[in-house]
Amino acid sequence: MTIQLLAQMMTVAPNATTAPCDAFDSFIRTSGAVQNGHIEANRIDILGFAVGKLVGSHAMRCIWADLSDAERVYHDTEWGVVTREERRLFELLVLRGAQAGLAWRTVLAKRDGYREVFLDYDIAAIAALGDDDMSRIGRDRRIIRHRLKVASVRHNARAVLRLAQSEGPLGEFLWSFVNGEPVRNAWKRHDDVPLRTSCSDRMSDALRKYGFQYAGTAICYALMQSAGMVHDHETGCFRYGCS
């Protein structure tokens, strides 16, 4: 994979100065760097190097993204990119819930572990897990071993199934809060970016109605940002205006 990424980087990089978004997005789409909707941990270093070559090692980013390599790669390749796929949205709900009280880079470091432990986010399979399964999972070092956060994954999987019976698929339900289209903001400074909005308030209230846990308004807004429901890259970020 290292050789493939570097080869792809070299074919795209010459265009980066004239069309940075197009060149970068083309690289991400065709390189195979994103697997199952996210970057796997063992690809972060080489992808980070490739990204640096494409956009420059001193490219301006949203300020939160420069705290670690994992956050830089996540910001550059995933954050704010539109996703409507149910498993991917459920993953974001799980991970953003796990983040409560922790740094995002801590969660990203455990991301592959979550995917392995929670059955590649097969919602029906997670909902069917027994108490013995959950007890075992709660001791697994590959994830954040917080009893309530771990229990909420199965609880929320079951809530998704209940929601589907009356509202339809999770993706359609979540995207309905922005009328199916991304909200494009134009924040000049990191301090301008909100932690919640009236839209995330409504989403949180609706999810809690169906029994979702770890679905407060701040968690919902972080999910909306991650899934591209709102475009919150700062105007000085090289990803601002990109799809």
Side-chain angles (χ1 to χ4, degrees):
M1 176 54 64
T2 298
I3 294 174
Q4 292 174 342
L5 282 174
L6 288 174
Q8 183 64 24
M9 175 193 73
M10 295 307 294
T11 63
V12 175
N15 299 318
T17 57
T18 56
C21 285
D22 290 345
F24 186 86
D25 290 340
S26 175
F27 167 70
I28 294 303
R29 285 194 304 270
T30 61
S31 67
V34 178
Q35 296 292 323
N36 299 303
H38 74 271
I39 305 295
E40 294 180 356
N42 62 3
R43 302 181 185 194
I44 286 176
D45 288 345
I46 183 59
L47 186 58
F49 174 77
V51 168
K53 289 295 185 181
L54 278 171
V55 301
S57 59
H58 301 292
M60 294 296 294
R61 291 178 173 84
C62 299
I63 194 169
W64 64 264
D66 272 328
L67 297 176
S68 69
D69 288 342
E71 284 166 306
R72 276 190 289 275
V73 170
Y74 173 76
H75 166 275
D76 293 354
T77 61
E78 296 182 65
W79 194 66
V81 176
V82 169
T83 181
R84 301 174 188 270
E85 199 271 321
E86 185 166 73
R87 284 196 192 191
R88 175 83 173 96
L89 290 169
F90 186 69
E91 178 195 20
L92 290 173
L93 181 62
V94 169
L95 296 180
R96 288 301 181 178
Q99 182 193 1
L102 300 172
W104 183 232
R105 58 186 173 276
T106 301
V107 178
L108 290 177
K110 299 279 188 179
R111 193 177 187 186
D112 291 347
Y114 269 89
R115 184 164 157 257
E116 294 162 2
V117 167
F118 287 112
L119 310 172
D120 198 19
Y121 295 102
D122 183 324
I123 294 172
I126 295 171
L129 290 170
D131 291 342
D132 289 344
D133 296 316
M134 294 303 296
S135 179
R136 171 182 51 79
I137 288 171
R139 298 189 298 271
D140 198 308
R141 293 180 179 273
R142 289 174 292 177
I143 64 171
I144 295 166
R145 292 176 296 164
H146 182 290
R147 181 177 60 84
L148 295 179
K149 290 178 181 179
V150 171
S152 73
V153 178
R154 181 181 68 174
H155 186 92
N156 286 349
R158 292 173 175 177
V160 171
L161 299 182
R162 290 194 299 272
L163 183 147
Q165 293 177 350
S166 57
E167 302 286 353
L170 178 65
E172 292 181 10
F173 179 74
L174 294 179
W175 273 91
S176 70
F177 290 93
V178 291
N179 296 319
E181 295 296 329
V183 175
R184 296 196 171 272
N185 294 313
W187 310 116
K188 293 183 178 180
R189 301 180 306 133
H190 174 70
D191 291 345
D192 295 333
V193 182
L195 297 177
R196 50 158 292 277
T197 62
S198 59
C199 184
S200 66
D201 290 347
R202 293 193 300 274
M203 180 185 289
S204 176
D205 289 344
L207 289 174
R208 285 174 165 173
K209 172 185 173 184
Y210 284 97
F212 282 80
Q213 298 174 341
Y214 286 91
T217 184
I219 289 173
C220 286
Y221 194 69
L223 182 153
M224 293 170 68
Q225 291 173 311
S226 295
M229 296 176 196
V230 292
H231 186 86
D232 272 355
H233 286 284
E234 297 158 39
T235 55
C237 174
F238 86 95
R239 289 294 288 168
Y240 178 74
C242 296
S243 58

